[in-house]
Structures are given as structure tokens and as C-alpha cells.
Amino acid sequence: MDTIASLFSFITTPVSWVIVQFHKVYGAIFGPDTGWAWGLSIVSLVILIRICLIPLFVKQIKATRAMQTLQPEMKKIQERYKNDKQRQSEEMMKLYKETGTNPLSSCLPILAQSPFFFALYHVLNGIASGKTIGVINDSLLESARNAHIFGAPLAAKFKDGASTIEALGASVTDVRVVTVIMIVLMSASQFFTQRQLMTKNVDTSVKTPFMQQQKMLMYVFPLMFAIFGINFPVGVLVYWLTTNVWTMGQQMYVIHNNPTPGSKAQASYLERLYKRVTQHGGTRGRGERAIVKAIVAKGRDRNEAERKFINGLTKAGLAAQADGTIVKSEGRAVEGTEDGGTTTATTATAAKRQQPKRQSKSQRQSTVKAAGEPTTSLSKSDEPRDDEPPAAAAPQAAPKQPAAKSGGGRSKAQSGQRKGGPQRPKSPSKK
């Protein structure tokens, strides 16, 4: 343990110094030997660390989404070179390089936070052992050993014996009740965070092994916290519970304001954005403009929720611009087309014109009569007969005559007659 502590001495001293500075502030309010002063000092340390890790968290989100997008391509490479592991690794690295994706980016916040976790663990372990560590001197060591959180000392563990816990001024029942409650809350917050990611912020249109891995981690991580939690001091449980709660809240904010494309969270977000845009007539903030800009740039690659959003804007007389703004369609609006290009229109009706309805025969005849034009009948009784002279103008319609068997069955096209204009003269008989 001393060897491990010496390895983390470069970070143990800064962590102990930060805790002492926060302890001075909270000690002046709650008292220097109270659990509130030391507990809130640990919580403030967590918040400070997580604020510093926000840029890494943003990279983690981008890397995770990029890895989800690359899963189909990665699966193809694995199937193509399943017998050649070296070529498979080369193609994977080539794919990462072409897309600018780093698989380790999704683990950056955890990796960056690990040194602070181990440093705090060794600080609290030193308090439990009665050893000064970092900038914590003898007086601060005694103050920390006397601090209790709901009756449990900061340095006490679930597996500590009765003699060890009594030396810290507490009972075994208090320590184990407090540690069990913290472990349950810690595991529950981790499970809820992972479940929220899987059910709301995952692209449901793509089924990849990555989703199965995330689903497995949803059950593995809480179990790991429950197993390792019984070996953590109460102060470390406070640190880890605060971290999980912060992660859960941070992820809820990201899902609510910047969801993954194709997820259920994106569909809900676009519904809220549509209502807001139709009420105010435009986007608000750089985040909304960035999302609208990305949707317009997709063209025909938009998913169902994005197409519904664009069509709703068109029906409402609005149009999304290429820069992410939304304007009235009376202006020159840029709308994404299904082929991935853009079209310019002055109005929403100009982009999509209504086709005239087809009229029935009776409606067409009534329209012609109203215009004063003679109507023509296309009935079979008004067609010219073969046995009638072409130039004969009868005042009344001639009665129907039975057609001759030899020539009456011939059609109008066979008789050589034209519908309108002069008739074709008959050829002379060969006789």
C-alpha cells in the first residue's frame, strides 16, 4: 500500500490541499470537526474535478457517437479479414484515421478521473490509519478522524471489525447501515445513467454489437460498484456517489439538448423545437442552429424524425436555412431536397404546386355548353356507316340498319375513312 501511495504522491498532495482549502470554508460555517465540513469538502472536490473534465466529456460524447456510426463498417472488416488478424487491425486503424475517430476518447473522462480517485482513497486511508499524508498535519488528521456522516466515520469501511470502528468512535451497526445505503444509491444511479443512455440516446435504426456491449455494461457496472463498495471508506463512497449523480445529471442535460441522431430523444427534441420555432418564428441559441444546420446538410439521408421536422416547417410557412436559421418562406428559403441538393423558392406554395382535379365527362360537357360550343357525341350510333355516302347531310339521324355480313363488320379504320376532313377516294375495282 505504501508503494502505491508513493506512486500517486504527485497527485495526493494537490488533492489533500484542495480538501483542506474547502474544509476551511465549510469549517467556519458548520464547525471544523463536523461531518458536514469534511463531507462537503469532498463533494466540492468532485464538482471541481468534473468541471475541469467537461471538455473531455464533450470529446467522449463525440467519440461514442462516431464509434456507433462506424460499427457497420467495422463489422464488415471483421468478416472480410476474419482469418487475417494483422490485416484486420491494419484496416481498422485505416478506418479510424480516415474518419478521425479515436476509440480511447470514450474512456478519457474515466482515465482522467482515476488519479484523483486513488489519491482521495489514499488520503482517507491515511486518516483511518492515523498517518499524515500530503498537507494534512496532525491537527487536521485528528479533526478528520472525529468527523462522522450520519454516525459513520469518514475513514470507516463496511468490512472493518468492531475494534477498528470503535477506535473511530462509532458502532458497527451505524457504519454498515450508512455504507449499505450509499452503495445501493451508488449502484442505482449508475444503472439509471446507463439505462437512460440505452433507451433514449441510441440510434435505433442501426443494430450493432456495440449496443449489445452497452446493454451488458448496464448490468455489470452496478454489480461492480456493489462488490468493490464494501472495501471503500465512507469518504470514498461520498466521492463516488457524488460523481455518479453528477454524471447522471450531465447526461440528462446532453440527452435533452443534444440527443443522438436517430434516437427517441432526438424525436422528442425535434417535436419541442418545432413547437418553439412555430411560436417564435426562429431558432434560439447556437445549439439549436447547429442541430438545424446538420439536418439541412443531410439532404436525402435524413431520418424519419428529421423529415417530419422539415415537412412541418414547410406546412407552417417556414423554411430551414443552410446556416441553421429558420425564416419565413416568403423570403428566399433554402430547403433540402430528397436528392441531397437544395432548391430556392419564394413561397411555400411555389415549392409544391397543387395539381388540377380531373373532371368527369358530364362536367366537361356542361363546361362546353356554358361556353356556347356545340357538343359532339362519341356514341356508337353517331359513327358514320360504310353504306352511307360521305357527303350526305341528313337533317335527321338515320335509323340504324343491319350491317352486311361481308362488309358491315369492318371497322372505321379498315374502311379507309377519316374522322374529319375530306374522305379518301375508293380505289377502282380490279374488274
Side-chain angles (χ1 to χ4, degrees), residues 92-245:
M92 288 287 189
M93 297 303 296
K94 183 178 178 181
L95 179 64
Y96 294 149
K97 186 176 181 180
E98 290 177 353
T99 57
T101 305
N102 186 1
L104 297 178
S105 298
S106 59
C107 303
L108 282 177
I110 297 178
L111 295 175
Q113 190 178 347
S114 298
F116 298 96
F117 171 78
F118 285 111
L120 179 63
Y121 178 84
H122 291 302
V123 169
L124 295 174
N125 187 68
I127 293 174
S129 304
K131 298 178 181 179
T132 59
I133 184 170
V135 299
I136 297 180
N137 52 29
D138 294 332
S139 60
L140 292 173
L141 177 63
E142 188 65 25
S143 175
R145 288 176 64 87
N146 293 327
H148 292 66
I149 297 178
F150 301 109
L154 288 175
K157 304 175 186 177
F158 179 86
K159 295 178 66 176
D160 285 344
S163 59
T164 304
I165 295 176
E166 289 176 359
L168 296 173
S171 65
V172 177
T173 304
D174 292 339
V175 171
R176 292 185 176 177
V177 168
V178 171
T179 52
V180 166
I181 292 175
M182 286 189 175
I183 290 172
V184 170
L185 292 176
M186 187 172 60
S187 301
S189 59
Q190 178 66 33
F191 176 80
F192 181 79
T193 301
Q194 195 68 21
R195 186 177 184 275
Q196 181 181 231
L197 178 66
M198 289 299 302
T199 57
K200 294 184 179 181
N201 206 36
V202 173
D203 188 357
T204 56
S205 62
V206 181
K207 303 295 183 181
T208 63
F210 181 77
M211 296 176 61
Q212 298 297 328
Q213 295 174 4
Q214 293 293 319
K215 187 176 181 180
M216 181 180 65
L217 293 177
M218 181 173 64
Y219 298 97
V220 171
F221 276 159
L223 184 61
M224 290 175 59
F225 279 115
I227 294 174
F228 292 111
I230 61 177
N231 296 312
F232 291 160
V234 174
V236 175
L237 293 179
V238 172
Y239 173 91
W240 208 251
L241 177 60
T242 307
T243 298
N244 286 356
V245 173

